[in-house]
Amino acid sequence: MAAGAVLVLIITSLSQKLGPSLSGLLAVFPVLASVLGVFTHASAGPAAAIRLLRGMVRGFYAFIAFCLALAGALEALRPASAFLLALSLAVLVQLAVMWLGRHRH
């Protein structure tokens, strides 16, 4: 918890230089991973924490695809259509990541 708080304080102090978009993006990933990783390790052990963090890394590709698609589509489409497009792309990216993970070896 302390590590997450320190990360938030550092990013917050740099937010004027980074801007709202970049500082918001940087705050999400390390804080989320550190808090969930620590609690998972404490409650379920190191193997579960490793699985959690690996899964989070693989899931971030779909999250990034969703955010990029939504940012690009909101100006051109209605909000519901933009969200549907972004969600569809995120699902496709996640399926591709899962397929690559299984067929990589």
Side-chain angles (χ1 to χ4, degrees):
M1 292 275 289
V6 169
L7 286 171
V8 169
L9 289 173
I10 290 170
I11 293 169
T12 304
S13 66
L14 296 173
S15 65
Q16 289 291 333
K17 294 179 184 177
L18 297 174
S21 297
L22 187 56
S23 60
L25 181 67
L26 291 174
V28 171
F29 299 121
V31 172
L32 181 66
S34 64
V35 170
L36 288 176
V38 167
F39 280 105
T40 301
H41 187 274
S43 64
I50 290 169
R51 285 192 308 272
L52 169 84
L53 294 172
R54 283 184 182 158
M56 287 179 70
V57 168
R58 290 181 185 134
F60 284 149
Y61 292 108
F63 179 69
I64 290 168
F66 177 84
C67 291
L68 289 174
L70 186 61
L74 274 175
E75 292 183 11
L77 302 172
R78 292 186 202 149
S81 298
F83 273 91
L84 183 62
L85 175 69
L87 179 61
S88 300
L89 181 61
V91 168
L92 288 174
V93 168
Q94 188 62 36
L95 288 172
V97 168
M98 289 170 61
W99 185 85
L100 287 171
R102 290 187 181 135
H103 294 89
R104 187 173 176 201
H105 301 287

